[in-house]
Amino acid sequence: MHFEAKWYARSEPLQSVVHFIKVTLKELGWNDGTEDLVMDVGCGPGKVTTKWVLTLFQEVEKIVALDYLSSMIEKARTLNAHPKVEYHVGDFEGGSTTENWKGQVSKMISIHCFNWFKTQRESFLTVYDLLQPGGEVALYFELHSDFFSALEEITYSEKWKSFFQGIYNYVPESNRKKYDSSHYRKMVEEIGFEVRFCQSELKVEDVVSDDAGSSFVEDVEDES
């Protein structure tokens, strides 16, 4: 499995992501636009950051956008540069690259990122340390999916497992252990967060067109 920056740069955000930003966050009051420092964790090639997140904070002084992969940040700086957005390569899970913003972040957002972390509790602790007093964080990530379950099944298949060595590392702990939202509510409340909204929902995503689906398959085949 690869996280190719060119695929992410070409694609549009899922409708569930757009709903999370345009509806859910606004219902939580994330639309005053006067924040000092906003952080986007797992920004990818920056399209969601500049085209969607920034619209919530039009008067923000700065958005710090982080991604673990340098290829994502290279694409972001090339394709989605913005004077209010500062892109950085950073290992958020490790925490060592975020010390400069400790206690300074007023709002933090992360979309489809926390499910990849292997040490989620430590990552939530990093969030807690980065937020200023009264700061808020909104996370949107996958708990379970048929895709992850299929990866698990492949690792047990005598026929196929030799072709997919290491693929199990891409299956989130939440999928393996069947976590629901109550697991995360309890975890973050123990850390010290006040939870305003926490729930798990079933989302079914549709490919916007046959061309979009076939284009993705063609890209994968080109890389193989």
Side-chain angles (χ1 to χ4, degrees), residues 30-49:
W30 282 41
N31 59 353
D32 59 12
T34 59
E35 305 302 327
D36 296 328
L37 178 62
V38 173
M39 180 173 284
D40 182 5
V41 178
C43 66
K47 180 181 289 185
V48 171
T49 309

Side-chain angles (χ1 to χ4, degrees), residues 1-165:
M1 180 181 292
H2 302 281
F3 295 95
E4 292 290 342
K6 68 175 185 178
W7 299 341
Y8 286 86
R10 187 178 303 172
S11 63
E12 294 298 322
L14 299 171
Q15 286 304 305
S16 61
V17 172
V18 174
H19 184 274
F20 175 70
I21 296 171
K22 293 183 66 176
V23 179
T24 305
L25 291 186
K26 286 192 175 183
E27 289 176 349
L28 292 174
W30 282 41
N31 59 353
D32 59 12
T34 59
E35 305 302 327
D36 296 328
L37 178 62
V38 173
M39 180 173 284
D40 182 5
V41 178
C43 66
K47 180 181 289 185
V48 171
T49 309
T50 55
K51 306 301 183 187
W52 299 96
V53 175
L54 188 58
T55 61
L56 293 173
F57 307 108
Q58 295 185 24
E59 302 302 320
V60 71
E61 291 188 15
K62 180 168 62 176
I63 294 180
V64 172
L66 304 177
D67 202 275
Y68 179 75
L69 297 177
S70 59
S71 60
M72 294 290 189
I73 296 302
E74 289 171 7
K75 284 289 185 183
R77 289 171 176 166
T78 301
L79 300 177
N80 294 296
H82 191 282
K84 289 188 175 182
V85 179
E86 188 178 286
Y87 293 107
H88 294 271
V89 179
D91 180 10
F92 188 89
E93 186 174 14
S96 60
T97 58
T98 59
E99 287 293 320
N100 289 339
W101 302 288
K102 190 172 182 179
Q104 299 180 36
V105 178
S106 50
K107 289 282 198 300
M108 182 185 296
I109 186 170
S110 181
I111 297 173
H112 289 315
C113 179
F114 265 62
N115 50 290
W116 299 115
F117 292 163
K118 300 303 180 186
T119 55
Q120 288 184 323
R121 182 179 179 84
E122 286 75 7
S123 298
F124 281 116
L125 284 167
T126 298
V127 173
Y128 193 82
D129 288 340
L130 289 172
L131 291 176
Q132 62 183 226
E136 295 179 288
V137 58
L139 308 176
Y140 182 72
F141 58 94
E142 287 183 277
L143 298 181
H144 326 107
S145 78
D146 292 339
F147 173 70
F148 293 142
S149 297
L151 292 183
E152 287 189 88
E153 291 182 15
I154 286 172
T155 63
Y156 297 119
S157 167
E158 291 299 324
K159 181 178 181 179
W160 298 109
K161 66 181 182 180
S162 63
F163 296 97
F164 294 90
Q165 293 183 7

